[in-house]
Every structure is written in structure tokens, then in C-alpha cells.
Amino acid sequence: MSVSNHRHFLTSANLTMLDTILIKAGFRGTEAEVDPESTGDAARFLISLFQSGVTTEPELTAALNARGASVGPGDSTPVQVKVEALDRWREEGGS
């Protein structure tokens, strides 16, 4: 029995896309509102998702927001609730 272990590898264009997502979410850039550790956590999360097959900007942005990593004003949903929602989203196929 053969097991398909398809991994997506990052190109410079992919890294640019991930950086854009982090900037829009407030993790990088001149208006970043979080500490460097949170930025690193968010970047690792995005890279992990990308390598597991979530490769489009809208999907990655939605997953980052569902994780509770967005720092936008008025975001009052507890992080744990968002993490649980992301886990459900992954279990249901991620789309």
C-alpha cells in the first residue's frame, strides 16, 4: 500500500504572499500591534498550513483569523474558541 505524502514547498512568491497576509493581519509593517513572539507564532502557523496543502491567500487569511491571531479592533472572540473553530474547520475538510 502506497501512502501519498504530498508536501507543498515554499517559493519566494509564496513567502511574499505569507508576508502580505501577516502585514494585513497587523503582525508586520509600520502599524504592527503585536510582540515579535506572536508574529513568529503566526508565521509558523501559516507555513505549517501551507505545507499541509492550504495554499491560497483567502484560505490562509481565514485560517489565521479563525485561529484568533488577528489583532484587529473589536475582535472580542476568545482565542480558544477560535482555535476550536479552526480544528473543526480542518476536520471538515477545510473548505
Side-chain angles (χ1 to χ4, degrees), residues 8-83:
H8 295 269
F9 294 96
L10 293 163
T11 65
S12 61
N14 301 138
L15 291 172
T16 300
M17 176 185 62
L18 296 179
D19 190 47
T20 299
I21 293 168
L22 291 170
I23 290 169
K24 288 178 180 178
F27 285 96
R28 294 191 26 82
T30 57
E31 298 182 22
E33 302 174 4
V34 297
D35 62 272
E37 185 174 328
S38 294
T39 300
D41 290 343
R44 283 186 290 278
F45 174 76
L46 289 175
I47 290 169
S48 173
L49 280 179
F50 186 92
Q51 291 178 329
S52 70
V54 180
T55 59
T56 68
E57 186 171 342
E59 290 175 321
L60 291 165
T61 299
L64 184 62
N65 288 333
R67 179 181 178 263
S70 177
V71 293
D75 190 5
S76 60
T77 304
V79 171
Q80 185 59 37
V81 171
K82 291 182 180 183
V83 170

